[in-house]
C-alpha cells in the first residue's frame, strides 16, 4: 500500500531528525527559494482536495488562490486539527505521531500567502496531539525553520462544532467558538477581519508530501479527480480499529478488510464519512473511496470516519434513532431551524413515523443555520429511510 502522509513503521512520535532523514522540510526550502507563484501553481496542478469534515473536497488550490487574490496584505493561516466531529481520530493521530508534516504544510501555506502569523488549532482534550504540536514548533524554531513566522498552538474550544472554520476564527478571537453566518468566508474576511486560510491538518500534511515528492508522484496515486491518499478512521464492529492510509479510489471493502471487518452477510450498514454520512448497504461496499463515487450513491466521504455496524448488535431503526439522537446533541443550538429540526426528526423516529421523519429530514437537508451540521444529519437519515428495507414505504 502506498503511503504519502504517514510512515506505518514509525514507532512513537516522528521527531525533527527522523522527519528530515525522510526528506522533511526540503519542500519548505524549495517553496521559499522558488517563491509564492510557483507554490500556488504546484498546489493547483496537484489537484489535492480538502480533507476537512465538511466532506465537499473543495480543491485546496482554489482556496489558496482566493486568499492570495486579496488586496489586503496582512493574512493569517490556521491548521485545523480541532476534529470536533464524533468518531474521527485522524487529525489528532497526525499531530500526535507526525506533527512536523502538518507544521511544514502550514509553513508552506504561510510562505505562499505572505502570512507572518500561523496557528495550530488542536483538539483541546487530546494531550498527545497538543504535545506533538508544541514539540514540533519548538524543534522547528530551534532549528531556524520557522522563517520569521510566529506559530501559536491553540487548544480547541470544547464544542461539537468547534472545527467549523468560522467557529475557529471566533475562538481565536477569544469568543466561545460558534459557527458564524457566511458569507463572508474566512478567505475574504477572516481572523481580525483579514483574509485567512483555515485548512484541515491532513490537507496540510498532503501539501508537505506534495512538496517533498513532487506533483507527478502524488498524481500517480489515487484517481484523476482525487489524487493521492487519504487517512481513514475505521471503527465500530472491526477487529483492528484505527487510522489507515489508502489511495483515493480504493474500494471500501478493501479498507474494511485491513481493519478486520466481519463478512458482508454479518454487516448491517457502514457509514463511510462519519455520523453525518449516508449509510451504505452490504451490497454497496465495493464503492471506490472518492468524493464523486460516494456522492453518486447519495452518501459522502465526509470526515472519512468509517463506522461498521453488525446485524447481531443492532436493528436499523435503533441505529438510525440513536445516531440522530447523538447528532442532535452535537448541534450547538444557536440556530432555531437546526435545533428544532433535529428535535422534530428525533420525535418522528421515536414514534416510528417514517413518513414524518422523511419530511423532517428533507427540511433539514438544505441548511437551517450557520453551518452544514444539519445537512449531515439529513443526509444520514434520508438515505437510511430511502435505501434500507426496514423503512420501506407501505
Ligand atoms: S446550524 Fe446547528 S450546529 Fe450549525 S451553528 Fe447553527 S445551531 Fe449550531
Amino acid at each position: 500500500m502506498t503511503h504519502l502522509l504517514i510512515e506505518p513503521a514509525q514507532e512513537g512520535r516522528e521527531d525533527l531528525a527522523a522527519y528530515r532523514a525522510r526528506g522533511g522540510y526540503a519542500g519548505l526550502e524549495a517553496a521559499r527559494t522558488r517563491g509564492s507563484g510557483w507554490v500556488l501553481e504546484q498546489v493547483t496542478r496537484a489537484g489535492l482536495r480538502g480533507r476537512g469534515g465538511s466532506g465537499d473536497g473543495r480543491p485546496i488550490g482554489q482556496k489558496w488562490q482566493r486568499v492570495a487574490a486579496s488586496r489586503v496584505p496582512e493574512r493569517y493561516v490556521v491548521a485545523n486539527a480541532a476534529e470536533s466531529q464524533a468518531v474521527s481520530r485522524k487529525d489528532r493521530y497526525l499531530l500526535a505521531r507526525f506533527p512536523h508534516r502538518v507544521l511544514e504544510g502550514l509553513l508552506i501555506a504561510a510562505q505562499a500567502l505572505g502570512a507572518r502569523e500561523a496557528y495550530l488549532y488542536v483538539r483541546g482534550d487530546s494531550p498527545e496531539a497538543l504535545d506533538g504540536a508544541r514539540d514540533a514548533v519548538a524543534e522547528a524554531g530551534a532549528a531556524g525553520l520557522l522563517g520569521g513566522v510566529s506559530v501559536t498552538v491553540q487548544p480547541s474550544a470544547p464544542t461539537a462544532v468547534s472545527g467549523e472554520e468560522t467557529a475557529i476564527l471566533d475562538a481565536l478571537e477569544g469568543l466561545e467558538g460558534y459557527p458564524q453566518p457566511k458569507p463572508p468566508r474566512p478567505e475574504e474576511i477572516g481572523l481580525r477581519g483579514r483574509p485567512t486560510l483555515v485548512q484541515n491538518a491532513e490537507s496540510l500534511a498532503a501539501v508537505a508530501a506534495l512538496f517533498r515528492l513532487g506533483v507527478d508522484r502524488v498524481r500517480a496515486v489515487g484517481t484523476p479527480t482525487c489524487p493521492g491518499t487519504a487517512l481513514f478512521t475505521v471503527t465500530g464492529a472491526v477487529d483492528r480499529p484505527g487510522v489507515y492510509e489508502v489511495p483515493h479510489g480504493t474500494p471500501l471493502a478493501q479498507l474494511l478488510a485491513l481493519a478486520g471487518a466481519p463478512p458482508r452477510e454479518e454487516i448491517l450498514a457502514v457509514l463511510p464519512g462519519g455520523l453525518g454520512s449516508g449509510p451504505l448497504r452490504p451490497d454497496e461496499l465495493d464503492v471506490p473511496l472518492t468524493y464523486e463515487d460516494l456522492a453518486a450513491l447519495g452518501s459522502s466521504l465526509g470526515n472519512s470516519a468509517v463506522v461498521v455496524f453488525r446485524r447481531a448488535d443492532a436493528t436499523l431503526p435503533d441505529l438510525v434513532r440513536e445516531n440522530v439522537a447523538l447528532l442532535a446533541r452535537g448541534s450547538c443550538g444557536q440556530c432555531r431551524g437546526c435545533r428544532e429540526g433535529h428535535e422534530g426528526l428525533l420525535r418522528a423516529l421515536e414514534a416510528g413515523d417514517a413518513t414524518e421523519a422523511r419530511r423532517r429530514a428533507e427540511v433539514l437537508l438544505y441548511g437551517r443555520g450557520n453551518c452544514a451540521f444539519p445537512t449531515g444529519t439529513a443526509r444520514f437519515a434520508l438515505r437510511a429511510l430511502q435505501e434500507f428495507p426496514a423503512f420501506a414505504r407501505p
Side-chain angles (χ1 to χ4, degrees):
M1 197 65 79
T2 305
H3 293 279
L4 305 179
L5 304 174
I6 59 172
E7 294 285 336
Q10 170 72 37
E11 290 190 8
R13 183 176 302 150
E14 181 186 56
D15 63 11
L16 180 59
Y19 184 45
R20 283 186 125 168
R22 293 173 173 139
Y25 289 105
L28 175 63
E29 198 181 318
R32 285 177 176 158
T33 304
R34 302 186 70 167
S36 304
W38 179 76
V39 175
L40 289 169
E41 190 217 326
Q42 297 299 298
V43 171
T44 304
R45 268 186 60 212
L48 296 174
R49 314 269 298 261
R51 304 284 302 122
S54 68
D56 54 7
R58 278 190 291 162
I60 292 175
Q62 284 179 12
K63 202 172 187 184
W64 290 33
Q65 297 280 5
R66 275 204 297 280
V67 178
S70 170
R71 294 186 179 182
V72 180
E74 192 182 340
R75 292 104 182 252
Y76 300 101
V77 291
V78 180
N80 179 3
E83 202 162 46
S84 55
Q85 295 172 329
V87 185
S88 181
R89 294 288 180 275
K90 68 184 180 65
D91 293 325
R92 71 195 83 171
Y93 171 83
L94 264 180
L95 263 300
R97 299 287 305 279
F98 301 96
H100 282 287
R101 296 170 184 237
V102 180
L103 179 58
E104 186 183 12
L106 184 66
L107 292 170
I108 290 171
Q111 193 283 333
L113 303 175
R116 309 309 298 166
E117 280 186 49
Y119 293 84
L120 278 161
Y121 191 66
V122 181
R123 181 146 177 128
D125 63 357
S126 176
E128 298 85 4
L130 284 163
D131 286 351
R134 289 178 180 131
D135 286 358
V137 173
E139 282 185 306
L145 291 167
L146 299 183
V149 177
S150 155
V151 184
T152 303
V153 176
Q154 176 85 26
S156 71
T159 73
V161 288
S162 62
E164 198 275 343
E165 54 188 14
T166 57
I168 293 176
L169 303 181
D170 200 47
L172 291 177
E173 289 172 348
L175 301 172
E176 285 190 69
Y178 282 82
Q180 300 301 305
K182 291 167 273 299
R185 301 215 63 95
E187 298 94 281
E188 296 142 14
I189 299 178
L191 188 60
R192 298 174 208 121
R194 304 289 190 268
T196 303
L197 176 79
V198 181
Q199 194 83 69
N200 165 260
E202 182 189 346
S203 304
L204 290 168
V207 167
L210 166 66
F211 284 86
R212 189 168 71 249
L213 303 169
V215 171
D216 292 345
R217 184 82 191 279
V218 169
R219 290 207 70 110
V221 182
T223 72
T225 57
C226 280
T229 61
L231 296 177
F232 289 84
T233 311
V234 188
T235 186
V238 294
D239 292 338
R240 296 178 291 281
V243 175
Y244 292 85
E245 180 181 12
V246 297
H248 280 118
T250 300
L252 174 56
Q254 205 173 316
L255 172 65
L256 295 179
L258 287 176
R264 269 177 214 240
E265 56 274 20
E266 292 181 22
I267 290 177
L268 175 66
V270 175
L271 302 181
L275 300 187
S277 63
L280 301 179
R281 300 187 310 261
D283 61 306
E284 296 174 317
L285 302 184
D286 293 316
V287 61
L289 291 166
T290 69
Y291 296 98
E292 291 75 18
D293 286 291
L294 283 161
L297 282 180
S299 187
S300 65
L301 201 55
N303 59 3
S304 60
V306 178
V307 192
V308 180
F309 297 93
R310 197 195 303 259
R311 283 184 194 283
D313 299 335
T315 66
L316 198 75
D318 285 347
L319 186 164
V320 172
R321 201 174 47 247
E322 284 164 19
N323 195 32
V324 169
L326 207 57
L327 287 162
R329 286 200 291 276
S331 162
C332 72
Q334 65 170 329
C335 313
R336 185 167 152 250
C338 174
R339 190 176 63 244
E340 293 182 2
H342 276 92
E343 287 167 3
L345 174 59
L346 190 54
R347 262 198 315 275
L349 290 168
E350 282 170 348
D353 186 343
T355 304
E356 174 65 4
R358 262 185 216 102
R359 193 185 71 76
R360 292 283 186 170
E362 278 161 5
V363 174
L364 267 184
L365 181 63
Y366 296 106
R368 280 291 181 269
N370 289 349
C371 77
F373 189 86
T375 308
T377 305
R379 273 202 207 114
F380 164 79
L382 279 175
R383 195 168 202 281
L385 291 163
Q386 282 164 5
E387 301 294 336
F388 282 76
F391 296 108
R393 289 174 196 265

